[in-house]
PDB file of all heavy atoms in Angstrom:
ATOM      1  N   THR A 265     -35.041 152.402 132.637  1.00  0.00           N
ATOM      2  CA  THR A 265     -36.351 152.083 133.205  1.00  0.00           C
ATOM      3  C   THR A 265     -37.496 152.464 132.279  1.00  0.00           C
ATOM      4  O   THR A 265     -38.662 152.278 132.634  1.00  0.00           O
ATOM      5  CB  THR A 265     -36.544 152.777 134.565  1.00  0.00           C
ATOM      6  OG1 THR A 265     -36.265 154.173 134.427  1.00  0.00           O
ATOM      7  CG2 THR A 265     -35.605 152.183 135.606  1.00  0.00           C
ATOM      8  N   GLY A 266     -37.195 152.998 131.110  1.00  0.00           N
ATOM      9  CA  GLY A 266     -38.243 153.271 130.139  1.00  0.00           C
ATOM     10  C   GLY A 266     -38.816 154.670 130.187  1.00  0.00           C
ATOM     11  O   GLY A 266     -39.949 154.893 129.748  1.00  0.00           O
ATOM     12  N   LYS A 267     -38.037 155.626 130.683  1.00  0.00           N
ATOM     13  CA  LYS A 267     -38.561 156.991 130.773  1.00  0.00           C
ATOM     14  C   LYS A 267     -38.904 157.548 129.386  1.00  0.00           C
ATOM     15  O   LYS A 267     -39.963 158.142 129.194  1.00  0.00           O
ATOM     16  CB  LYS A 267     -37.541 157.899 131.475  1.00  0.00           C
ATOM     17  CG  LYS A 267     -37.237 157.524 132.917  1.00  0.00           C
ATOM     18  CD  LYS A 267     -36.392 158.565 133.621  1.00  0.00           C
ATOM     19  CE  LYS A 267     -34.977 158.679 133.059  1.00  0.00           C
ATOM     20  NZ  LYS A 267     -34.183 157.450 133.257  1.00  0.00           N
ATOM     21  N   THR A 268     -37.992 157.359 128.434  1.00  0.00           N
ATOM     22  CA  THR A 268     -38.228 157.915 127.101  1.00  0.00           C
ATOM     23  C   THR A 268     -39.390 157.215 126.415  1.00  0.00           C
ATOM     24  O   THR A 268     -40.206 157.859 125.731  1.00  0.00           O
ATOM     25  CB  THR A 268     -36.964 157.800 126.239  1.00  0.00           C
ATOM     26  OG1 THR A 268     -35.849 158.345 126.949  1.00  0.00           O
ATOM     27  CG2 THR A 268     -37.133 158.558 124.945  1.00  0.00           C
ATOM     28  N   THR A 269     -39.503 155.909 126.564  1.00  0.00           N
ATOM     29  CA  THR A 269     -40.636 155.186 125.988  1.00  0.00           C
ATOM     30  C   THR A 269     -41.948 155.682 126.581  1.00  0.00           C
ATOM     31  O   THR A 269     -42.942 155.859 125.866  1.00  0.00           O
ATOM     32  CB  THR A 269     -40.483 153.676 126.236  1.00  0.00           C
ATOM     33  OG1 THR A 269     -39.278 153.220 125.620  1.00  0.00           O
ATOM     34  CG2 THR A 269     -41.664 152.906 125.656  1.00  0.00           C
ATOM     35  N   THR A 270     -41.945 155.926 127.883  1.00  0.00           N
ATOM     36  CA  THR A 270     -43.137 156.462 128.541  1.00  0.00           C
ATOM     37  C   THR A 270     -43.517 157.810 127.954  1.00  0.00           C
ATOM     38  O   THR A 270     -44.691 158.090 127.687  1.00  0.00           O
ATOM     39  CB  THR A 270     -42.888 156.596 130.054  1.00  0.00           C
ATOM     40  OG1 THR A 270     -42.611 155.304 130.600  1.00  0.00           O
ATOM     41  CG2 THR A 270     -44.096 157.193 130.760  1.00  0.00           C
ATOM     42  N   ILE A 271     -42.520 158.670 127.729  1.00  0.00           N
ATOM     43  CA  ILE A 271     -42.775 159.983 127.153  1.00  0.00           C
ATOM     44  C   ILE A 271     -43.294 159.857 125.726  1.00  0.00           C
ATOM     45  O   ILE A 271     -44.243 160.549 125.322  1.00  0.00           O
ATOM     46  CB  ILE A 271     -41.496 160.837 127.186  1.00  0.00           C
ATOM     47  CG1 ILE A 271     -41.100 161.140 128.633  1.00  0.00           C
ATOM     48  CG2 ILE A 271     -41.692 162.122 126.407  1.00  0.00           C
ATOM     49  CD1 ILE A 271     -42.154 161.859 129.438  1.00  0.00           C
ATOM     50  N   ALA A 272     -42.694 158.964 124.940  1.00  0.00           N
ATOM     51  CA  ALA A 272     -43.135 158.792 123.557  1.00  0.00           C
ATOM     52  C   ALA A 272     -44.598 158.356 123.505  1.00  0.00           C
ATOM     53  O   ALA A 272     -45.383 158.867 122.691  1.00  0.00           O
ATOM     54  CB  ALA A 272     -42.247 157.772 122.848  1.00  0.00           C
ATOM     55  N   ARG A 273     -44.978 157.434 124.367  1.00  0.00           N
ATOM     56  CA  ARG A 273     -46.378 156.988 124.408  1.00  0.00           C
ATOM     57  C   ARG A 273     -47.300 158.123 124.856  1.00  0.00           C
ATOM     58  O   ARG A 273     -48.423 158.272 124.345  1.00  0.00           O
ATOM     59  CB  ARG A 273     -46.522 155.789 125.335  1.00  0.00           C
ATOM     60  CG  ARG A 273     -45.823 154.533 124.827  1.00  0.00           C
ATOM     61  CD  ARG A 273     -46.075 153.332 125.738  1.00  0.00           C
ATOM     62  NE  ARG A 273     -45.330 152.164 125.309  1.00  0.00           N
ATOM     63  CZ  ARG A 273     -45.719 151.333 124.341  1.00  0.00           C
ATOM     64  NH1 ARG A 273     -46.863 151.564 123.699  1.00  0.00           N
ATOM     65  NH2 ARG A 273     -44.982 150.296 124.003  1.00  0.00           N
ATOM     66  N   MET A 274     -46.828 158.943 125.807  1.00  0.00           N
ATOM     67  CA  MET A 274     -47.615 160.089 126.246  1.00  0.00           C
ATOM     68  C   MET A 274     -47.862 161.052 125.097  1.00  0.00           C
ATOM     69  O   MET A 274     -48.991 161.538 124.900  1.00  0.00           O
ATOM     70  CB  MET A 274     -46.893 160.824 127.380  1.00  0.00           C
ATOM     71  CG  MET A 274     -47.565 162.120 127.817  1.00  0.00           C
ATOM     72  SD  MET A 274     -46.475 163.183 128.793  1.00  0.00           S
ATOM     73  CE  MET A 274     -46.171 162.145 130.210  1.00  0.00           C
ATOM     74  N   LEU A 275     -46.821 161.346 124.317  1.00  0.00           N
ATOM     75  CA  LEU A 275     -46.958 162.281 123.210  1.00  0.00           C
ATOM     76  C   LEU A 275     -47.894 161.731 122.135  1.00  0.00           C
ATOM     77  O   LEU A 275     -48.695 162.484 121.546  1.00  0.00           O
ATOM     78  CB  LEU A 275     -45.586 162.596 122.614  1.00  0.00           C
ATOM     79  CG  LEU A 275     -44.592 163.278 123.565  1.00  0.00           C
ATOM     80  CD1 LEU A 275     -43.261 163.522 122.854  1.00  0.00           C
ATOM     81  CD2 LEU A 275     -45.149 164.580 124.106  1.00  0.00           C
ATOM     82  N   VAL A 276     -47.791 160.445 121.867  1.00  0.00           N
ATOM     83  CA  VAL A 276     -48.712 159.815 120.911  1.00  0.00           C
ATOM     84  C   VAL A 276     -50.152 159.990 121.375  1.00  0.00           C
ATOM     85  O   VAL A 276     -51.047 160.339 120.591  1.00  0.00           O
ATOM     86  CB  VAL A 276     -48.367 158.321 120.740  1.00  0.00           C
ATOM     87  CG1 VAL A 276     -49.508 157.585 120.031  1.00  0.00           C
ATOM     88  CG2 VAL A 276     -47.071 158.156 119.958  1.00  0.00           C
ATOM     89  N   THR A 277     -50.377 159.769 122.664  1.00  0.00           N
ATOM     90  CA  THR A 277     -51.723 159.915 123.216  1.00  0.00           C
ATOM     91  C   THR A 277     -52.227 161.340 123.084  1.00  0.00           C
ATOM     92  O   THR A 277     -53.394 161.572 122.724  1.00  0.00           O
ATOM     93  CB  THR A 277     -51.729 159.490 124.696  1.00  0.00           C
ATOM     94  OG1 THR A 277     -51.326 158.116 124.793  1.00  0.00           O
ATOM     95  CG2 THR A 277     -53.117 159.650 125.306  1.00  0.00           C
ATOM     96  N   LEU A 278     -51.363 162.324 123.378  1.00  0.00           N
ATOM     97  CA  LEU A 278     -51.778 163.724 123.278  1.00  0.00           C
ATOM     98  C   LEU A 278     -52.157 164.103 121.852  1.00  0.00           C
ATOM     99  O   LEU A 278     -53.152 164.812 121.624  1.00  0.00           O
ATOM    100  CB  LEU A 278     -50.654 164.630 123.780  1.00  0.00           C
ATOM    101  CG  LEU A 278     -50.345 164.567 125.278  1.00  0.00           C
ATOM    102  CD1 LEU A 278     -49.138 165.445 125.607  1.00  0.00           C
ATOM    103  CD2 LEU A 278     -51.552 165.014 126.098  1.00  0.00           C
ATOM    104  N   VAL A 279     -51.379 163.644 120.877  1.00  0.00           N
ATOM    105  CA  VAL A 279     -51.688 163.939 119.477  1.00  0.00           C
ATOM    106  C   VAL A 279     -52.986 163.249 119.074  1.00  0.00           C
ATOM    107  O   VAL A 279     -53.854 163.850 118.413  1.00  0.00           O
ATOM    108  CB  VAL A 279     -50.534 163.504 118.563  1.00  0.00           C
ATOM    109  CG1 VAL A 279     -50.921 163.645 117.094  1.00  0.00           C
ATOM    110  CG2 VAL A 279     -49.282 164.323 118.853  1.00  0.00           C
ATOM    111  N   ASP A 280     -53.141 161.999 119.464  1.00  0.00           N
ATOM    112  CA  ASP A 280     -54.351 161.249 119.112  1.00  0.00           C
ATOM    113  C   ASP A 280     -55.593 161.891 119.724  1.00  0.00           C
ATOM    114  O   ASP A 280     -56.634 162.027 119.068  1.00  0.00           O
ATOM    115  CB  ASP A 280     -54.207 159.804 119.581  1.00  0.00           C
ATOM    116  CG  ASP A 280     -55.355 158.927 119.098  1.00  0.00           C
ATOM    117  OD1 ASP A 280     -55.735 159.025 117.913  1.00  0.00           O
ATOM    118  OD2 ASP A 280     -55.895 158.144 119.914  1.00  0.00           O
ATOM    119  N   GLU A 281     -55.497 162.302 120.996  1.00  0.00           N
ATOM    120  CA  GLU A 281     -56.640 162.940 121.662  1.00  0.00           C
ATOM    121  C   GLU A 281     -57.016 164.251 120.973  1.00  0.00           C
ATOM    122  O   GLU A 281     -58.208 164.561 120.822  1.00  0.00           O
ATOM    123  CB  GLU A 281     -56.315 163.191 123.130  1.00  0.00           C
ATOM    124  CG  GLU A 281     -56.267 161.927 123.978  1.00  0.00           C
ATOM    125  CD  GLU A 281     -55.868 162.207 125.413  1.00  0.00           C
ATOM    126  OE1 GLU A 281     -55.386 163.337 125.683  1.00  0.00           O
ATOM    127  OE2 GLU A 281     -56.022 161.314 126.261  1.00  0.00           O
ATOM    128  N   ALA A 282     -56.013 165.016 120.567  1.00  0.00           N
ATOM    129  CA  ALA A 282     -56.300 166.273 119.871  1.00  0.00           C
ATOM    130  C   ALA A 282     -57.016 166.015 118.558  1.00  0.00           C
ATOM    131  O   ALA A 282     -57.985 166.717 118.203  1.00  0.00           O
ATOM    132  CB  ALA A 282     -54.993 167.039 119.634  1.00  0.00           C
ATOM    133  N   ARG A 283     -56.559 165.009 117.820  1.00  0.00           N
ATOM    134  CA  ARG A 283     -57.206 164.689 116.542  1.00  0.00           C
ATOM    135  C   ARG A 283     -58.644 164.222 116.760  1.00  0.00           C
ATOM    136  O   ARG A 283     -59.555 164.629 116.034  1.00  0.00           O
ATOM    137  CB  ARG A 283     -56.401 163.603 115.823  1.00  0.00           C
ATOM    138  CG  ARG A 283     -55.080 164.090 115.257  1.00  0.00           C
ATOM    139  CD  ARG A 283     -54.397 163.002 114.451  1.00  0.00           C
ATOM    140  NE  ARG A 283     -53.265 163.520 113.697  1.00  0.00           N
ATOM    141  CZ  ARG A 283     -52.572 162.807 112.814  1.00  0.00           C
ATOM    142  NH1 ARG A 283     -52.918 161.535 112.569  1.00  0.00           N
ATOM    143  NH2 ARG A 283     -51.565 163.345 112.171  1.00  0.00           N
TER     144      ARG A 283
END
Side-chain angles (χ1 to χ4, degrees):
T265 52
K267 297 189 293 295
T268 309
T269 300
T270 299
I271 294 302
R273 293 184 184 278
M274 174 196 297
L275 298 179
V276 166
T277 300
L278 292 176
V279 173
D280 187 44
E281 288 177 347
R283 288 185 169 187

